[in-house]
Amino acid sequence: MNKILYVLAIVATLVSCAESYSIQGSSSVSALDGSKLYLKTVKNQELKNIDSCDVVHGKFRFAGLLDTVKLANLYMDDESLMMPVVVEKGEIEIRIDNTGRSVSGTPLNDKLYQFIHRHDQISNELNELSHKQSQMLLDGIDEDIINRQLSAEAARLAQQEDSLVTNFIVENFDNILGPGVFMMMTGGYPYPVLTPQIEDIMSKATKKFKEDPYVKEYYRTANEIQARQNGLVDDTPQQPVQQTPPPAAVPEQPADSMQLPPLNFPQK
């Protein structure tokens, strides 16, 4: 009996010393009420549930013990991707409304959402260029002048975006945000490709970043595909190889994969 009590006391001590997370959420979107939210993360190349909860009167809450810091995504009703969340020690606060979403209260979440909001600002400025073009045409400005001016503006904004993403990943090589944003950045590509930006990041990468499972597999596969496209790999019929896409032009940027998707809720 004493041994059992002793073991229970040890277990209770370990649990009390374990780090925990607490996520308090609020939403002003009425269509979200009654929905089930899920925190999911990628593990062994599969999407796994970490936690789930219901939205009741615009409020929801996740809580649990934390074995390691994770970058998760918030899903609605097990389908719709809503937003990334760093599951880390502390009191995390999620706010959702029709104009935006944010996560705050802990160091990595604060850092991630400062980055996302700045990235969104640049993306919105890029999107505004088409409206600016239409207005300039209505104002009777010569089309060649418009094209020169807006092309220069687009190049400036694209460079800002490139620098913002690269610098953020480099500054966060050795925490969860570096690999996480690398995954967001490359998630818009149809298959792993090597761009000058990716090569620049990998040339500066730390060992820990290179050993991240997603980064390691992405970079390995991208190099294999590029080697095949350049004719540096002997793909003979007798040699079984993984099916890869045919050679194609490498896109300069993925399609705004870091911008939070719009809140499109089904009507109830």
Side-chain angles (χ1 to χ4, degrees):
M1 184 66 178
N2 287 337
K3 287 184 178 179
I4 294 174
L5 291 174
Y6 178 70
V7 171
L8 290 175
I10 292 176
V11 171
T13 301
L14 291 174
V15 170
S16 65
C17 293
E19 292 187 341
S20 62
Y21 67 90
S22 174
I23 302 175
Q24 300 284 348
S26 62
S27 168
S28 60
V29 181
S30 59
L32 199 59
D33 265 354
S35 298
K36 198 168 191 68
L37 301 183
Y38 296 83
L39 279 177
K40 294 174 176 281
T41 190
V42 176
K43 185 176 182 180
N44 298 326
Q45 299 183 346
E46 292 184 4
L47 205 56
K48 302 286 188 181
N49 282 343
I50 298 176
D51 204 348
S52 64
C53 68
D54 295 311
V55 182
V56 180
H57 303 307
K59 303 292 183 183
F60 57 93
R61 182 175 184 269
F62 299 99
L65 296 178
L66 188 66
D67 55 349
T68 183
V69 176
K70 297 179 177 71
L71 182 59
N73 280 301
L74 186 65
Y75 282 75
M76 181 184 70
D77 290 333
D78 211 15
E79 292 179 1
S80 303
L81 174 62
M82 296 177 68
M83 58 199 298
V85 181
V86 181
V87 183
E88 60 180 327
K89 180 182 178 181
E91 298 291 328
I92 301 166
E93 183 175 358
I94 297 177
R95 292 182 180 274
I96 301 173
D97 58 39
N98 286 312
T99 59
R101 282 152 284 176
S102 65
V103 184
S104 60
T106 54
L108 293 182
N109 278 303
D110 289 343
K111 185 181 288 189
L112 175 61
Y113 273 82
Q114 287 172 6
F115 163 76
I116 288 176
H117 291 153
R118 178 57 187 142
H119 185 273
D120 287 352
Q121 287 174 359
I122 296 174
S123 296
N124 291 335
E125 288 182 58
L126 279 166
N127 293 334
E128 280 297 314
L129 292 182
S130 61
H131 299 296
K132 187 180 289 188
Q133 180 187 38
S134 299
Q135 185 59 52
M136 293 172 78
L137 285 170
L138 289 173
D139 292 341
I141 300 174
D142 183 82
E143 194 167 343
D144 289 337
I145 295 175
I146 294 173
N147 289 338
R148 284 198 302 271
Q149 183 176 329
L150 295 187
S151 294
E153 183 71 4
R156 181 186 67 80
L157 290 170
Q159 181 57 47
Q160 279 189 19
E161 181 185 39
D162 186 280
S163 297
L164 175 72
V165 174
T166 299
N167 291 339
F168 186 85
I169 292 173
V170 170
E171 290 167 7
N172 294 279
F173 271 150
D174 293 336
N175 64 56
I176 198 69
L177 295 183
V181 170
F182 183 86
M183 184 185 295
M184 295 179 196
M185 179 187 77
T186 56
Y189 293 129
Y191 59 90
V193 296
L194 293 177
T195 65
Q197 183 184 25
I198 291 172
E199 292 283 31
D200 180 38
I201 290 169
M202 296 307 295
S203 71
K204 301 170 181 174
T206 62
K207 182 179 179 180
K208 184 174 181 179
F209 181 81
K210 290 179 180 178
E211 289 300 315
D212 175 84
Y214 176 84
V215 174
K216 186 176 182 178
E217 180 62 19
Y218 180 94
Y219 195 53
R220 182 192 66 78
T221 305
N223 274 290
E224 285 184 359
I225 292 173
Q226 181 166 288
R228 289 193 180 97
Q229 291 176 345
N230 293 339
L232 300 177
V233 175
D234 182 18
D235 287 337
T236 62
Q238 297 82 10
Q239 194 82 14
V241 295
Q242 280 189 321
Q243 186 175 6
T244 58
V250 175
E252 292 183 2
Q253 288 289 338
D256 274 344
S257 54
M258 276 170 288
Q259 200 160 21
L260 298 181
L263 287 169
N264 295 322
F265 296 115
Q267 295 296 319
K268 293 188 176 181

